[in-house]
Amino acid sequence: MKKSNTANTILSSLPTSPTMSAHHSYVGSKASLHSSRSSRSSLNHTTANTKSNKIDLEIETILEKAKFYTSVCLGTTAILSVFTFLFLIPFVVDPAISTIIADYDPVPVTCIVIDHIQAAGIKNCTWSSCREGCTSSPNKCHQLYVNYTRIPFAEWEKNPRDLETVLWDVSYTKFLINSEGCGYPPTTNCSIFAQQYGFQHIGEPFPCYYSRAYPEVVIGRYSWENNLFHLLLSLIIPTVLFALSIGVLSYWYCPCCDNACNKSSRVYAEKFPTKEEIANCMKCNPEKSISLNSY
């Protein structure tokens, strides 16, 4: 026993070899390197997660802002569409509908002005051949009276007739610039209208359009295509804009619409078994065949 103890003490007192110490230091450095790498990877992973979360938050905030501003624009569009439609009713829709009801002959016939009265004062201007503005009562007015025949003006130009021998279909009737007798600049200028048809041009044939529904109504401007075009535009554009705006806003903010749009079509169908399920059940449990046949 003494020899073994002395041997151990001698071995322990001997200096360690450089290879052994290098091996231990290599193992320790490798472990520390592995731990540092793992810590770095975990740190990189956490930083990547935080960056991705920040990006997601930024995207969500951008989408929320875009949705908010889009909602404001859609609401404004819906309100403006309503006011635009209400504004167009007296200025475009009503005149266009009255023009369609009057049923003007698209082929211009021959007219002559036989009288031109230039009046002043509200009492004297009970009607006017031309008004600049359809909502105000004019203080000055031009009143033109015409005779017309249903002879097309193109035929009249090819073969002029003697005015004294012509049999006029309607005599001394009111002549209007359009179906409403009014308009707005620059398309309607009553001074130019009076110079074109009145005073110096009395007795000169010119093309005009008469109403087949009301033969005493004669106008100077008429186009079926333009009338229908403006009517459709004034009806379709505000209606479509209003419907789209309200539809998108309802889909975004109305829970009833969201549930109706996202509702599954199998909700009610899955309450009842299919034919295959009934057949399989009848094979397995013949006793339940009577109750299943009721389906």
Side-chain angles (χ1 to χ4, degrees):
M1 291 294 293
K2 290 181 179 180
K3 290 181 180 180
S4 62
N5 291 329
T6 55
N8 290 330
T9 54
I10 292 168
L11 290 172
S12 61
S13 63
L14 290 174
T16 58
S17 64
T19 56
M20 292 292 292
S21 61
H23 177 72
H24 287 296
S25 62
Y26 173 74
V27 172
S29 62
K30 188 175 181 180
S32 62
L33 181 62
H34 179 71
S35 62
S36 63
R37 285 181 179 177
S38 61
S39 62
R40 287 179 182 177
S41 62
S42 62
L43 182 61
N44 292 330
H45 183 68
T46 54
T47 54
N49 289 331
T50 54
K51 287 182 179 179
S52 63
N53 292 330
K54 288 181 180 179
I55 293 171
D56 293 337
L57 289 174
E58 289 178 357
I59 293 172
E60 288 180 0
T61 53
I62 291 171
L63 291 176
E64 288 178 357
K65 289 181 180 180
K67 184 178 180 180
F68 172 75
Y69 289 116
T70 305
S71 301
V72 172
C73 293
L74 290 174
T76 306
T77 302
I79 295 171
L80 291 177
S81 299
V82 173
F83 283 103
T84 302
F85 181 73
L86 295 176
F87 177 79
L88 290 174
I89 287 175
F91 295 105
V92 178
V93 178
D94 185 50
I97 293 175
S98 63
T99 302
I100 293 173
I101 293 173
D103 189 20
Y104 290 97
D105 190 351
V107 179
V109 296
T110 306
C111 290
I112 60 168
V113 175
I114 58 174
D115 193 7
H116 180 189
I117 300 172
Q118 187 174 3
I122 297 176
K123 293 182 179 180
N124 296 325
C125 293
T126 55
W127 74 277
S128 178
S129 295
C130 178
R131 285 186 298 150
E132 294 180 3
C134 298
T135 57
S136 60
S137 300
N139 293 323
K140 296 180 181 180
C141 59
H142 296 275
Q143 298 175 350
L144 279 72
Y145 294 89
V146 297
N147 295 344
Y148 77 86
T149 177
R150 290 188 174 88
I151 300 173
F153 185 72
E155 183 180 343
W156 182 282
E157 285 184 325
K158 293 179 181 179
N159 186 16
R161 275 78 165 174
D162 187 3
L163 297 177
E164 295 180 357
T165 60
V166 173
L167 296 176
W168 302 104
D169 292 296
V170 177
S171 300
Y172 206 80
T173 187
K174 298 176 182 179
F175 179 63
L176 305 177
I177 186 172
N178 51 33
S179 60
E180 295 296 316
C182 61
Y184 295 89
T187 57
T188 301
N189 191 322
C190 294
S191 299
I192 296 175
F193 172 78
Q195 293 175 3
Q196 182 179 359
Y197 296 103
F199 295 127
Q200 298 177 357
H201 300 281
I202 291 177
E204 295 181 3
F206 64 91
C208 62
Y209 302 88
Y210 74 97
S211 171
R212 287 178 287 199
Y214 311 102
E216 68 278 2
V217 178
V218 186
I219 61 176
R221 299 176 184 174
Y222 174 71
S223 175
W224 167 259
E225 292 80 9
N226 290 336
N227 183 66
L228 185 63
F229 177 73
H230 290 103
L231 177 61
L232 292 177
L233 283 182
S234 60
L235 291 176
I236 291 174
I237 292 177
T239 305
V240 170
L241 291 176
F242 178 79
L244 288 176
S245 302
I246 295 299
V248 174
L249 292 175
S250 300
Y251 179 76
W252 280 350
Y253 299 103
C254 182
C256 298
C257 297
D258 191 11
N259 294 331
C261 293
N262 296 326
K263 183 170 62 177
S264 176
S265 60
R266 294 283 298 171
V267 173
Y268 300 104
E270 289 176 354
K271 292 183 179 180
F272 302 98
T274 61
K275 292 182 179 180
E276 295 178 356
E277 293 175 352
I278 293 173
N280 293 329
C281 187
M282 290 174 65
K283 291 179 181 178
C284 297
N285 298 317
E287 296 177 356
K288 295 183 179 180
S289 61
I290 298 173
S291 61
L292 290 173
N293 286 330
S294 61
Y295 292 105

